[in-house]
Amino acid sequence: MVNGEPREQNRFPHELYDSLMNGIRHMIPFVVGGGILMAVSFMFGVNAADVKDPSYNPIAALLYAIGHGNGFALMVPILAGFIAYGISGTLALAPGMIGGLIAASTGSGFFGGILAGYLSGYFIRLLNQLCRKFPKGLVNLRNVLLYPVVSVLFTGVVMYEVVAYPMSVFNNWLVACLSSFQGSSLEILGLILGAMMAVDLGGPINKAAYTFGLAMISAGNYYPMAAIMAGGLVPPIGIGLATVLFKKKFDAEDRDQGKTYFLLGASFITESAMPVAAKDVFRIIPSSIVGSAIAGAMTMAFHVALPAPHGGVFVLPVVQGGLTQQMLYLLSILTGVVVTALMIGLLRKNITEKQSDAQKEDEPSPLPAALKG
């Protein structure tokens, strides 16, 4: 209830939002831990984690294995599982996480994980309705045996047979469209790639651009990854800078989170910007898109080549072309960051103390208590 008026008519949209944020809150520690360890591993060398490479370093290999092979591997399953949990509780965790794992393994990715979470959560709710007259003496048997088997089977079949193929086709189509720009203006390609990194802050469009960058690296073209990395760095750092420059436009919680965005953004963890951005999508996302697009276009205009597929500013030393190109790369990123922060400052209105209190009451904290400090 808000201001004494029922919110029943808006219950379903709020439930969709709250369950999504529940998944994001629980996903963030995996993204942060995995992403930063990956970034540190690249400081030993781009291929230092590859045992077949002359630059192989066992410490880098260990850090990369923990961060990428485990931390990032759990990101989508955790997201899906806790979206489902936010809808139907503990019984939805198993089908949600398994659905998220299927999404990650079949190329459905982040968006597929979201679908798996909602699918699992609402299927458990349907089962609760169908089994509401279940004999009380058999409730434990229902929860331990019937629900897990039926829900996991249903989610798995839908994810494999319905979701996986169209999502993989969609991602392949996006990569093919981006590849068509290779023979035309590099600046336009950089602008598009940079913008894509900020459109959904780690979602399917972001991941399509990143996949394209990986494909180009394997083909020996390192320009797209520079634009992609720059575009992914801008949103968190830009939002963080906005919370510092325009303190009256953010509540205390967002300002506290903004302080963490400098390190998270510098580590190329674009997903970290989701909690604050989700509270004001129509101002923060467009601002991030513009800043990221400018940064991406500038890296292409300067012909910055980056052979590292992750690592953020920690892989600055591996930018090809020496100190001059490295400084131009930093200039591109900083320009995008400043543009994003200034646009947010111009578009957002000051938040009054009353609005801040109401926001705290209506919206869950985007970070788990363990990360608030």
Side-chain angles (χ1 to χ4, degrees):
M1 182 174 290
V2 178
N3 297 327
E5 296 179 4
R7 281 176 23 182
E8 185 64 28
Q9 68 274 18
N10 294 322
R11 187 181 65 83
F12 181 67
H14 275 276
E15 183 176 68
L16 291 177
Y17 171 79
D18 290 344
S19 58
L20 176 62
M21 292 303 297
N22 187 58
I24 291 173
R25 287 197 304 275
H26 286 87
M27 176 192 74
I28 283 178
F30 295 84
V31 178
V32 172
I36 290 181
L37 289 178
M38 285 176 61
V40 174
S41 75
F42 283 119
M43 294 179 68
F44 292 87
V46 178
N47 298 312
D50 185 355
V51 68
K52 298 179 181 180
D53 193 88
S55 65
Y56 172 74
N57 183 293
I59 297 177
L62 177 62
L63 293 173
Y64 187 84
I66 297 171
H68 182 268
N70 296 280
F72 263 40
L74 285 170
M75 181 178 70
V76 174
I78 291 296
L79 171 69
F82 280 95
I83 288 175
Y85 178 85
I87 296 169
S88 296
T90 306
L91 293 173
L93 268 175
M97 288 189 176
I98 292 173
L101 186 60
I102 294 172
S105 64
T106 58
S108 301
F110 190 89
F111 186 63
I114 293 175
L115 291 178
Y118 285 131
L119 180 70
S120 303
Y122 285 110
F123 184 70
I124 290 293
R125 182 172 294 180
L126 174 63
L127 287 180
N128 283 331
Q129 289 294 321
L130 295 176
C131 299
R132 62 184 181 277
K133 295 183 179 180
F134 214 76
K136 292 184 178 180
L138 299 176
V139 168
N140 287 337
L141 179 64
R142 178 198 69 181
N143 293 347
V144 173
L145 181 62
L146 178 64
Y147 276 17
V149 173
V150 174
S151 61
V152 168
L153 175 63
F154 173 79
T155 303
V157 169
V158 173
M159 291 301 297
Y160 273 120
E161 302 299 330
V162 179
V163 175
Y165 179 72
M167 281 303 303
S168 63
V169 169
F170 173 72
N171 288 334
N172 291 335
W173 173 77
L174 277 180
V175 171
C177 288
L178 292 173
S179 298
S180 66
F181 280 89
Q182 284 298 299
S184 59
S185 171
L186 286 178
E187 289 82 1
I188 294 177
L189 176 60
L191 185 146
I192 292 173
L193 290 172
M196 288 178 68
M197 294 299 292
V199 168
D200 51 6
L201 302 177
I205 297 176
N206 170 290
K207 290 299 184 286
Y210 183 70
T211 301
F212 173 75
L214 292 177
M216 292 299 101
I217 284 180
S218 66
N221 185 342
Y222 303 138
Y223 299 127
M225 184 52 72
I228 289 164
M229 191 90 74
L233 291 170
V234 165
I237 303 176
I239 295 171
L241 181 60
T243 64
V244 173
L245 297 179
F246 308 102
K247 295 182 178 180
K248 294 183 179 180
K249 298 178 184 290
F250 296 88
D251 60 29
E253 185 177 29
D254 287 347
R255 292 196 298 271
D256 286 341
Q257 289 181 54
K259 297 173 184 176
T260 70
Y261 284 3
F262 292 98
L263 175 59
L264 297 177
S267 302
F268 191 46
I269 304 177
T270 316
E271 294 89 343
S272 64
M274 288 180 185
V276 174
K279 293 181 179 181
D280 194 1
V281 171
F282 297 108
R283 293 181 179 87
I284 293 180
I285 293 296
S287 301
S288 299
I289 291 173
V290 172
S292 293
I294 290 174
M298 287 180 66
T299 65
M300 285 292 195
F302 293 141
H303 291 84
V304 176
L306 179 64
H310 209 287
V313 297
F314 297 102
V315 295
L316 184 64
V318 305
V319 170
Q320 295 182 345
L323 183 61
T324 299
Q325 289 299 96
Q326 293 167 10
M327 291 301 100
L328 289 174
Y329 188 47
L330 272 182
L331 175 63
S332 303
I333 295 169
L334 291 175
T335 301
V337 166
V338 171
V339 169
T340 293
L342 292 179
M343 282 190 64
I344 292 173
L346 290 172
L347 294 175
R348 293 203 77 179
K349 297 180 180 179
N350 290 348
I351 292 182
T352 65
E353 188 174 333
K354 184 176 180 181
Q355 287 174 321
S356 179
D357 292 339
Q359 192 174 44
K360 289 179 182 178
E361 180 180 344
D362 288 345
E363 297 184 2
S365 170
L367 288 177
L371 291 183
K372 292 181 182 177

